Amino acid sequence: MNERAIRHGWIRHFLLTIHLNFCNSQAIVYGYLVPVIFLLAFGSVFRADSPPLLAQMGQIVTITILGGACFGLPTALVAEREQGIWRRYRLLPIPIAWLVFSAMLARVLIVASAVLVQIVLARAIFGTPLPAHPAAAALAFLFVIAAFLGMGLLIAALADNVPAVQALGQCIFLPMILIGGVGVPLAVLPLWAQKAAGFMPGRYAVEVLQPCFNTPAGLHGATFRLAALAVIGLAAGLSGTKLFRWEAGRRASARWWVAAALTSWAAVGAIAWATGRLRPVLPEPAAWTNITEAQIAEVGFDKLPADGGIVAAIAPSSLDSARSSEFAQKLAVWTQGKLDDPGQSIRNLVSLAAIADLCADPRESEIGRLVFRQIGARFEPAVARQALAWIIVSPEDGLTLTKAPELGLFRHPPERLVRQRSVIYAEKYLGRLLGKIPD
């Protein structure tokens, strides 16, 4: 068979692979619906960011690539092998390596289309900006998917059936989601997990994709991360090629080839550790810390409702704590008011007063007073001023509680109303701290 005929046969197989993917309802669900679900889940958690989801797009895209490469590709290959398709392929004059490459190339286009769908939906639903560096993002995508497709090929070679693919895929997917910097941001992981993530390709995938969305530098300075992905993908792909089976049944001893693939992970992590690339990743400063004294000074207090009215009631400063001793004791140990982030803790405390007021709780004015006492006793004055001004200036930032059953506040008014009422309480509290409202 001449070269032209071989090329024509390869193209036919490539198009057939794509066609069969879109004829498979399960492939559509895992390839497109699941990534959209992840996008909506991230959007529900990080919707208050400005702009929404921009800082998480590297993670979202990595999850999509990881799923398509470590589940989609090996599932398709193993299912075809179980049906005897690859045994028949051996009778073709086309080199088997070309057919494997065709299947992998088709998977690249399928995953790329899923990523584009995510980017477009993020823009349409949440207003997330498009990548700041499209060309760099495309290059980063190719390195990431090459690394993960190599692992997918190795999974296909090791798995005896489709359920085994799912099991082996989860062994890679879950650790990278939980402690690999893919599902959970590195900044919120403990130090040991951040170190462990340096031995996993997921961390490097996020670190080459994310800058293409929200940094001026793009891929500048990402040489080591790109090289790490290339080494891991090459080692896994070579191992998968050596262990590739055309039919179900006994396979060659896989111990050494699997060890070779895992050694590349260990080598990359060891080099990153030795060269100081695994320094702790610290969380970005909270938005409330950016509130300036000038912004605090601009807050007005002349249109606030009376403390004894029906809106944002606050009991007099002479309130006897014994009357609300049970609530005061629970409030003193309430975990949502003692977070590592003081700004969010104060927002949560103010939300309590807003919830009680909106639900016409019999203790609403007392709760309003007890919350103010907790803020004054637990936080430094400068911190309290900044956080309260943050609630006033940026009412949509941060997370807002709508109920606190552990404190007896079981009803949950709409979040929008809680945020609006929190602003009024924050103004009353800030005015007292500044001495502009008599207490």
Side-chain angles (χ1 to χ4, degrees):
M1 180 177 283
N2 58 39
E3 182 178 345
R4 181 178 178 181
I6 292 176
R7 185 168 60 250
H8 178 74
W10 175 80
I11 293 174
R12 291 283 296 174
H13 177 262
F14 169 74
L15 296 176
L16 178 62
T17 301
I18 295 178
H19 174 73
L20 292 176
N21 178 83
F22 286 100
C23 290
N24 188 327
S25 58
Q26 187 177 11
I28 297 296
V29 169
Y30 282 104
Y32 294 93
L33 182 59
V34 171
V36 170
I37 292 174
F38 271 105
L39 174 69
L40 296 177
F42 270 81
S44 65
V45 174
F46 299 102
R47 65 184 183 279
D49 290 0
S50 181
L53 287 186
L54 184 60
Q56 290 79 38
M57 287 305 296
Q59 295 171 253
I60 294 171
V61 172
T62 298
I63 291 173
T64 301
I65 300 173
L66 184 59
C70 292
F71 289 104
L73 174 68
T75 297
L77 292 179
V78 172
E80 291 176 353
R81 188 180 67 205
E82 288 186 296
Q83 297 169 10
I85 294 175
W86 283 92
R87 184 172 65 248
R88 297 186 183 95
Y89 281 163
R90 295 190 68 184
L91 302 176
L92 296 176
I94 302 175
I96 198 70
W98 280 98
L99 297 178
V100 175
F101 176 71
S102 170
M104 297 179 71
L105 182 59
R107 186 60 50 181
V108 170
L109 294 183
I110 292 168
V111 175
S113 65
V115 169
L116 290 175
V117 168
Q118 279 189 316
I119 293 174
V120 171
L121 287 179
R123 176 68 174 173
I125 298 174
F126 302 105
T128 308
L130 299 176
H133 307 278
L139 178 62
F141 169 82
L142 291 177
F143 272 85
V144 173
I145 197 167
F148 290 160
L149 282 177
M151 292 187 286
L153 184 61
L154 179 57
I155 291 172
L158 294 174
D160 292 321
N161 48 51
V162 172
V165 169
Q166 304 299 318
L168 290 172
Q170 293 291 357
C171 291
I172 295 175
F173 187 80
L174 289 180
M176 280 198 272
I177 290 292
L178 297 176
I179 63 171
V182 177
V184 181
L186 284 175
V188 303
L189 290 174
L191 182 58
W192 69 266
Q194 293 189 22
K195 296 283 188 183
F199 291 81
M200 302 180 190
R203 170 172 179 164
Y204 303 110
V206 174
E207 289 180 343
V208 299
L209 287 167
Q210 186 58 49
C212 300
F213 282 87
N214 64 346
T215 66
L219 287 178
H220 180 72
T223 303
F224 175 81
R225 300 181 183 96
L226 294 173
L229 292 169
V231 168
I232 291 173
L234 183 62
L238 178 61
S239 299
T241 301
K242 290 296 183 180
L243 296 174
F244 188 83
R245 290 179 284 166
W246 291 271
E247 55 186 342
R250 188 167 184 167
R251 61 170 178 263
S253 177
R255 181 183 309 169
W256 296 109
W257 289 110
V258 172
L262 294 179
T263 298
S264 67
W265 292 32
V268 165
I271 294 173
W273 192 320
T275 54
R277 290 183 169 87
L278 299 185
R279 292 187 296 272
V281 178
L282 301 177
E284 295 183 4
W288 66 270
T289 62
N290 297 323
I291 298 296
T292 64
E293 290 296 329
Q295 289 175 293
I296 296 174
E298 292 176 357
V299 177
F301 308 99
D302 54 343
K303 296 182 180 181
L304 292 174
D307 291 344
I310 61 173
V311 176
I314 299 179
S317 58
S318 58
L319 173 69
D320 184 3
S321 297
R323 287 178 50 190
S324 306
S325 59
E326 182 180 355
F327 185 88
Q329 291 171 4
K330 291 181 178 180
L331 185 61
V333 297
W334 188 51
T335 56
Q336 294 297 323
K338 302 171 68 176
L339 303 176
D340 291 337
D341 183 350
Q344 184 61 52
S345 298
I346 292 176
R347 184 180 281 276
N348 291 342
L349 287 167
V350 175
S351 296
L352 291 180
I355 294 169
D357 187 63
L358 288 167
C359 297
D361 190 284
R363 307 163 297 170
E364 58 182 312
S365 63
E366 298 173 9
I367 291 175
R369 171 57 60 179
L370 293 174
V371 165
F372 180 61
R373 288 179 180 175
Q374 279 293 315
I375 293 174
R378 190 176 297 171
F379 302 97
E380 295 290 333
V383 170
R385 288 198 303 271
Q386 275 189 299
L388 292 170
W390 171 56
I391 296 172
I392 299 166
V393 174
S394 303
E396 298 302 320
D397 279 3
L399 302 176
T400 292
L401 303 179
T402 58
K403 61 180 178 179
E406 63 275 15
L407 296 176
L409 299 173
F410 296 97
R411 297 174 61 187
H412 46 94
E415 179 181 323
R416 173 180 57 84
L417 297 181
V418 175
R419 288 184 181 274
Q420 292 174 356
R421 193 59 53 88
S422 294
V423 171
I424 299 176
Y425 271 107
E427 289 175 342
K428 288 192 172 186
Y429 294 157
L430 180 60
R432 284 168 165 80
L433 291 180
L434 295 175
K436 296 184 178 181
I437 296 179
D439 193 22

